[in-house]
Amino acid sequence: MPGPIQSLSRAAAILRLLAGGERRLGLSEVSTALGLAKGTAHGILRTLQQEGFVEQDPESGKYQLGAELLRLGQSYLDVHELRARALVWADDLARAAGETVYLGVLHQQGVLIVHHVFRPDDTRQVLEVGSMQPLHSTAIGKVLVAYDPVARGELGDGPYESYTLRTLTEPADVDAECSLIRERGWADSVEETWEGVASIAALIQDRRRNPVGAVCINGPVERICQDGFVKPSLVASVRSAARAISRDLGAGRF
Amino acid sequence: MPGPIQSLSRAAAILRLLAGGERRLGLSEVSTALGLAKGTAHGILRTLQQEGFVEQDPESGKYQLGAELLRLGQSYLDVHELRARALVWADDLARAAGETVYLGVLHQQGVLIVHHVFRPDDTRQVLEVGSMQPLHSTAIGKVLVAYDPVARGELGDGPYESYTLRTLTEPADVDAECSLIRERGWADSVEETWEGVASIAALIQDRRRNPVGAVCINGPVERICQDGFVKPSLVASVRSAARAISRDLGAGRF
DNA sequence: GGCCGTCGTTCGACAATGTCGACCGTCATG
DNA sequence: CATGACGGTCGACATTGTCGAACGACGGCC
């Protein structure tokens, strides 16, 4: 039976639809958006509701995502081997660099943040775990594109969305940058996604040298850069953290 | 068509199974655990994999939860109205009390933590968002049981699991405690779930006075209690935070 | 090294199952 | 008061998912 199960694919589409729209959606909105009969959409929604993947606002009758997804998402993190091995190294890196640390993996056409260490001294930060970032304009994203053919494939052939004046929007530019990244072994992103923010990333490989993710530090340009370039000491910290995690993954087999 | 969609329920069961077992599961394990034909389980797993809800380890062929769940779980948090309104109040409470703050809602037979503010001065804490806690032995859980008939129903009629010597395991004891909680308007839990840990919780209601969740502070017994009782000043802080969040929810209509 | 057991996967037939579109009651609106 | 849109239900149909057997590959054991 090589072919997806129809009702399951539709259920997944409904969940993604609900995740996309910021507000709750009504049954009719869902059914028309996906081109389904109302009865069909209702049956799927009812099942998803029973399972806790979807909740229904009792007074408006509209639907939104359910709590079970949060619980399962947490379970995903619990099992995630890369994340488990990286926890302590990410912590050390954040302390050494004094900056925010992200750990990201390729997911669909973006970078999924699976771990986030807050900047040590600072407060009132928003946890980014579970959120997506672009591939072509972040340090983690560019590392993955440089080393993972799958990521390069997902990126497609632009032009890519521009977030600041420094965002690379042309495939040729990104590919050139990736050659550079492969040559020197690390990536940076200075105000390519957010104004005033710079980051440095390095690749994490598993025991068979497959790229499985990347780690980066993230902070205000003034602290990350000096004389227009990222500080070499920070680059060294990030690279050594990435190597440490990769080594840890390699040893994990036994 | 009042009845759940079979394939969807089965898919949900598979996801929960994968979330439960700490390690990856093979196809045969899944199919036998749920009493499904191997072909059937495979079809569901293949679809879940295409949708990103499940990932397959390429070398062992075993399955685990997928990244899409993390993303959707995050989206759930984004839409969560209670959490959005409570963010700032929880932060203030943590600062004022100098302790960890949890925000929890009823989910199935437990408390789902939807927000977690780290203790202000401390470091190296594990984020509990997305994890479940018992209903009968935590402050948040007992608040919900006391005020929400649904929660009381989910609790069932024990005996409940015992975690420490102080855990209430008999329904009668829990119900008596709940009467007290309703009388005075707050709940505590001193070493009922974890040795050395005490917490104080208060109810959060929506604009129609329905219980929607609870907020608590959580810390070592020595700091939360004095002379064998929880400190009244902390109780006052928690209750005022809960009231503030409830008020905020009530105003949210306009 | 050859055998056996188990694994994940594929296949085809069957009927159980999910799908469709029309219909119902309710609510808010004009 | 009539209208339209909403969420939800129902029953007939055939599409669709399910089952069990069979396949090829891998790994361990004698």
Side-chain angles (χ1 to χ4, degrees):
Chain A
M1 188 198 339
I5 292 181
Q6 190 187 44
S7 53
L8 264 183
S9 299
R10 288 173 166 178
I14 288 181
L15 289 179
R16 268 192 287 271
L17 183 67
L18 289 176
E22 278 312 300
R23 70 185 205 296
R24 293 187 253 260
L25 262 47
L27 170 62
S28 304
E29 294 176 279
V30 172
S31 62
T32 60
L34 299 178
L36 297 177
K38 259 197 306 182
T40 305
H42 180 62
I44 296 175
L45 278 168
R46 178 156 35 75
T47 307
L48 287 174
Q49 185 183 7
Q50 284 178 17
E51 302 292 346
F53 292 89
V54 152
E55 292 169 1
Q56 185 175 24
D57 184 21
E59 52 184 300
S60 71
K62 293 182 183 296
Y63 294 93
Q64 64 170 356
L65 294 182
E68 186 74 355
L69 287 171
L70 182 61
R71 198 178 69 84
L72 291 180
Q74 178 65 22
S75 299
Y76 167 74
L77 287 181
D78 291 343
V79 182
H80 205 282
E81 188 181 354
L82 163 61
R83 181 172 180 271
R85 307 240 169 225
L87 282 184
V88 54
W89 300 107
D91 226 76
D92 287 353
L93 176 58
R95 217 189 319 271
E99 298 291 348
T100 300
V101 169
Y102 291 129
L103 189 72
V105 299
L106 174 69
H107 177 59
Q108 293 167 350
Q109 286 99 48
V111 175
L112 181 71
I113 304 299
V114 296
H115 187 55
H116 175 179
V117 185
F118 287 146
R119 192 177 317 131
D121 56 352
D122 212 344
T123 176
R124 190 66 76 108
Q125 304 174 60
V126 182
L127 189 74
E128 294 288 340
V129 170
S131 64
M132 299 275 288
Q133 294 182 0
L135 275 177
H136 67 281
S137 68
T138 61
I140 289 186
K142 289 194 292 186
V143 165
L144 293 176
V145 171
Y147 288 98
D148 188 345
V150 178
R152 180 62 189 86
E154 292 290 349
L155 187 59
D157 44 347
Y160 312 122
E161 192 172 350
S162 178
Y163 307 106
T164 74
L165 290 175
R166 308 183 68 158
T167 307
L168 302 179
T169 59
E170 289 306 320
D173 296 337
V174 174
D175 285 332
E177 171 102 357
C178 285
S179 300
L180 176 61
I181 290 170
R182 276 189 298 267
E183 247 172 67
R184 66 187 185 189
W186 54 275
D188 62 355
S189 164
V190 180
E191 296 191 296
E192 292 178 28
T193 314
W194 301 281
E195 304 278 0
V197 175
S199 40
I200 307 169
L203 184 74
I204 301 173
Q205 303 168 308
D206 67 7
R207 56 192 154 278
R208 291 185 314 187
R209 307 262 160 193
N210 291 322
V212 293
V215 60
C216 85
I217 62 170
N218 197 279
V221 180
E222 306 84 45
R223 284 210 299 268
I224 303 290
C225 297
Q226 200 161 34
D227 309 327
F229 294 96
V230 295
K231 296 183 186 171
S233 65
L234 292 178
V235 171
S237 297
V238 174
R239 296 189 70 183
S240 91
R243 268 193 305 271
I245 299 169
S246 299
R247 212 180 316 124
D248 219 341
L249 279 174
R253 193 24 112 199
F254 308 105
Chain B
M1 189 197 342
I5 291 181
Q6 190 186 47
S7 53
L8 265 182
S9 300
R10 288 173 166 180
I14 288 181
L15 289 179
R16 268 193 287 271
L17 182 67
L18 290 176
E22 277 312 301
R23 70 186 203 295
R24 294 186 252 260
L25 261 47
L27 170 62
S28 305
E29 295 176 278
V30 171
S31 60
T32 60
L34 299 178
L36 297 176
K38 261 198 306 183
T40 305
H42 180 62
I44 296 174
L45 279 168
R46 179 158 32 76
T47 308
L48 288 174
Q49 185 183 7
Q50 284 178 16
E51 302 292 345
F53 292 91
V54 151
E55 292 168 2
Q56 186 175 25
D57 183 21
E59 51 185 302
S60 71
K62 292 182 184 293
Y63 295 93
Q64 63 171 353
L65 294 183
E68 185 75 356
L69 285 171
L70 182 61
R71 201 179 66 84
L72 290 180
Q74 179 65 24
S75 299
Y76 166 74
L77 286 181
D78 290 343
V79 182
H80 206 281
E81 188 181 353
L82 164 61
R83 181 172 180 272
R85 306 237 170 230
L87 282 184
V88 53
W89 298 109
D91 226 75
D92 288 352
L93 176 58
R95 218 188 319 270
E99 298 292 348
T100 300
V101 170
Y102 290 130
L103 189 71
V105 299
L106 174 70
H107 177 59
Q108 294 168 351
Q109 286 98 47
V111 176
L112 181 72
I113 304 300
V114 296
H115 187 54
H116 175 180
V117 185
F118 288 145
R119 193 176 320 130
D121 56 353
D122 212 345
T123 176
R124 189 66 72 110
Q125 304 173 58
V126 182
L127 189 73
E128 294 288 342
V129 170
S131 64
M132 299 275 288
Q133 294 183 357
L135 275 177
H136 66 281
S137 68
T138 61
I140 289 186
K142 290 194 291 183
V143 164
L144 293 176
V145 170
Y147 288 99
D148 188 344
V150 178
R152 180 61 188 87
E154 292 290 349
L155 187 58
D157 43 347
Y160 313 122
E161 193 173 349
S162 179
Y163 307 106
T164 74
L165 290 177
R166 308 183 67 156
T167 307
L168 302 179
T169 58
E170 289 306 320
D173 296 338
V174 174
D175 286 331
E177 172 103 357
C178 286
S179 300
L180 175 62
I181 290 169
R182 277 188 298 268
E183 245 172 66
R184 65 188 185 188
W186 54 275
D188 63 355
S189 165
V190 180
E191 296 191 296
E192 293 178 26
T193 314
W194 300 279
E195 303 279 357
V197 175
S199 40
I200 307 169
L203 185 74
I204 301 172
Q205 303 168 307
D206 66 7
R207 56 190 155 281
R208 291 186 314 189
R209 308 261 161 194
N210 292 323
V212 293
V215 61
C216 85
I217 63 171
N218 198 278
V221 180
E222 306 82 45
R223 284 209 301 266
I224 303 288
C225 297
Q226 201 161 33
D227 308 327
F229 294 96
V230 294
K231 295 183 187 170
S233 64
L234 292 178
V235 172
S237 296
V238 174
R239 297 189 69 183
S240 91
R243 268 195 303 271
I245 299 169
S246 299
R247 214 181 315 123
D248 218 341
L249 280 173
R253 198 19 118 201
F254 309 104

